């Protein structure tokens, strides 16, 4: 084993995430500083850099999973992480554009243990701040001077279109009763898998990867993205509020048609039928109702289905990663990171 492999494999997933933040956050801050003051103020609050009055704060900016995948994907094809920093910043900006809009759409008042941007600055201001971030992402890629910047912009644009389609389906599902499980999986692929897939493929592009390597890493990200969403949906029901930053049974209070819910509704079980009656009633759901809904999802097999699917998708993702023939160090770190985000407490 080489010194390089020992050094890379000695880093835990959390150390890798910290390394990524050290590389990406200064560049992200520099990019956000170029925004108009009104948009910069909201974006900085959303990232946790300052409070609503512009005073310095030290709130969590999230895990930075996607930009970390971008940097590691560059290394996985034999490139330098530093070459992929603009790509990682662009991915991070698009992700936070989606979070700003998602919070408005879902009406969530808490993210990362503090009030959401829209609940502080208003819905319209938060939407416009999200628009500013997604526009800035393309500016960052264009200004990178990388020979594959244009291709990276195409990949990112396609991912955003898929993301928006997935979000649209998610909203549409709120008013529908007849949602097939395959439809819900497609929605999750679009809403979450698309950007994680783009993070890996753009990272591989900026690392100088061969077309086959880029494709394998794209598929790795797509499968990992779905596994991530499966676990995230479990956390949306059973996650610890201390870890998630959201109230217990958060998704059930909103009658969200998440993957475990739809799996249970399509289970053809007595528990699934009772869940359908409860979920589709016209009255507001009480605390007792949502607790019962969580129990019914479990009884109908929705919780276990998600766990099995997440494990299967992770295994497929790791297979595609190995097919890209990455060096041992980046391979170990990508595998470790994938394991971390798909085996959270749920």
């Amino acid at each position: 084993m080489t010194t390089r492999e020992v050094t890379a494999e000695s880093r835990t997933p959390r150390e890798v995430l910290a390394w990524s933040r050290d590389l990406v956050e200064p560049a992200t801050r520099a990019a956000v500083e170029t925004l108009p003051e009104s948009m910069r103020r909201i974006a900085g609050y959303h990232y946790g850099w300052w409070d609503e009055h512009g005073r310095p704060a030290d709130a969590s900016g999230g895990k930075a999973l996607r930009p970390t995948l971008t940097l590691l994907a560059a290394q996985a094809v034999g490139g330098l992480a530093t070459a992929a920093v603009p790509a990682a910043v662009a991915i991070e900006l698009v992700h936070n554009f989606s979070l700003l809009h998602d919070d408005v759409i879902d009406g969530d008042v808490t993210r990362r243990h503090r009030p959401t941007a829209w609940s502080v600055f208003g819905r319209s201001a938060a939407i416009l701040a999200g628009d500013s971030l997604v526009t800035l992402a393309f500016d960052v890629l264009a200004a990178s001077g990388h020979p594959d910047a244009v291709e990276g912009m195409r990949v990112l644009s396609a991912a955003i279109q898929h993301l928006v389609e997935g979000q649209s389906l998610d909203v549409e599902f709120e008013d529908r009763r007849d949602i097939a499980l395959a439809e819900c999986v497609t929605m999750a692929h679009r809403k979450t898998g698309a950007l994680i897939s783009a993070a890996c493929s753009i990272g591989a592009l900026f690392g100088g990867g061969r077309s086959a390597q880029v494709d394998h890493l794209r598929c790795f990200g797509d499968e990992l993205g779905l596994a991530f969403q499966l676990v995230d949906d479990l956390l949306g029901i059973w996650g610890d509020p201390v870890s998630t930053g959201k109230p217990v049974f958060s998704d059930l209070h909103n009658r969200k048609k998440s993957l475990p819910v739809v799996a249970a509704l399509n289970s053809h079980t007595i528990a699934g039928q009772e869940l359908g009656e409860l979920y589709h009633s016209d009255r507001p759901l009480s605390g007792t109702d949502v607790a019962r809904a969580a129990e019914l999802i479990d009884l109908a097999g929705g919780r276990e289905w998600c766990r099995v699917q997440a494990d299967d998708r992770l295994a497929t993702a790791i297979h595609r990663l190995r097919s890209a023939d990455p060096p041992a160090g980046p391979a170990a770190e990508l595998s470790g990171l994938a394991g971390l985000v798909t085996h959270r407490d749920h």
Side-chain angles (χ1 to χ4, degrees):
M1 185 176 291
T2 67
T3 302
R4 176 188 172 198
E5 289 168 0
V6 171
T7 301
E9 291 183 352
S10 68
R11 297 192 303 184
T12 68
R14 297 191 186 282
E15 288 171 338
V16 172
L17 289 168
W19 159 78
S20 171
R21 281 193 293 270
D22 287 343
L23 280 176
V24 176
E25 184 172 317
T28 304
R29 281 179 177 257
V32 170
E33 284 294 332
T34 68
L35 293 176
E37 194 280 330
S38 58
M39 297 296 97
R40 183 169 65 249
R41 179 184 173 202
I42 300 170
Y45 171 83
H46 170 75
Y47 273 108
W49 300 335
W50 46 74
D51 66 15
E52 64 270 30
H53 305 293
R55 296 178 299 222
D58 191 25
S60 170
K63 293 180 292 295
L65 167 66
R66 291 156 187 81
T68 304
L69 290 171
T70 303
L71 300 183
L72 290 178
Q75 293 183 324
V77 299
L80 297 174
T82 50
V85 168
V89 171
I91 289 291
E92 179 70 350
L93 290 168
V94 170
H95 175 53
N96 282 278
F97 136 78
S98 73
L99 296 182
L100 283 162
H101 283 203
D102 203 37
D103 286 342
V104 172
I105 292 169
D106 291 343
D108 287 339
V109 296
T110 303
R111 177 174 292 280
R112 299 166 183 161
H113 307 285
R114 66 204 299 250
T116 49
W118 77 262
S119 68
V120 174
F121 299 99
R123 293 177 184 272
S124 297
I127 291 170
L128 292 171
D131 294 342
S132 284
L133 291 185
V134 75
T135 304
L136 182 59
F138 286 94
D139 286 343
V140 169
L141 285 180
S144 71
H146 194 281
D148 283 312
V150 172
E151 180 60 22
M153 292 168 74
R154 291 194 186 103
V155 171
L156 189 59
S157 176
I160 294 169
Q161 293 288 6
H162 285 312
L163 187 157
V164 171
E165 180 190 12
Q167 183 64 64
S168 177
L169 287 171
D170 197 20
V171 172
E172 178 189 322
F173 288 173
E174 293 178 8
D175 299 320
R176 281 181 49 192
R177 296 191 177 195
D178 58 337
I179 302 164
L181 188 53
E183 286 183 288
C184 197
V185 170
T186 296
M187 179 272 291
H189 260 303
R190 297 287 191 264
K191 183 179 177 182
T192 304
L195 190 57
I196 291 180
S197 177
C200 295
S201 57
I202 297 175
L205 276 172
F206 273 60
R210 303 186 306 275
S211 60
Q213 289 179 304
V214 174
D215 188 58
H216 282 307
L217 284 162
R218 175 186 62 79
C219 293
F220 162 75
D222 195 43
E223 293 294 327
L224 177 60
L226 183 53
F228 179 91
Q229 188 60 57
L230 284 156
V231 172
D232 217 48
D233 283 355
L234 289 171
L235 292 172
I237 299 174
W238 293 283
D240 182 353
V242 174
S243 300
T244 64
K246 294 185 177 183
V248 67
F249 303 142
S250 172
D251 285 354
L252 300 184
H253 279 289
N254 297 329
R255 284 188 168 93
K256 200 169 183 64
K257 305 288 178 56
S258 61
L259 284 158
V261 171
V262 175
L265 291 173
N266 282 275
S267 65
H268 305 293
T269 62
I270 294 175
Q273 292 173 5
E274 184 181 338
L275 175 68
E277 294 170 3
L278 185 62
Y279 231 62
H280 298 130
S281 65
D282 294 330
R283 61 183 175 80
L285 296 180
S286 66
T288 302
D289 289 334
V290 294
R292 178 58 177 166
E295 182 181 19
L296 291 169
I297 293 165
D298 206 351
L299 290 171
R303 189 176 192 175
E304 183 61 20
W305 180 86
C306 280
R307 285 172 166 165
V308 171
Q309 282 290 310
D311 287 343
D312 288 349
R313 297 292 180 169
L314 175 61
T316 303
I318 297 302
H319 172 72
R320 295 307 295 256
L321 171 62
R322 290 171 180 160
S323 297
D325 194 25
E333 293 185 346
L334 280 166
S335 296
L337 191 60
L340 175 70
V341 300
T342 56
H343 288 90
R344 294 169 284 169
D345 184 18
H346 53 84

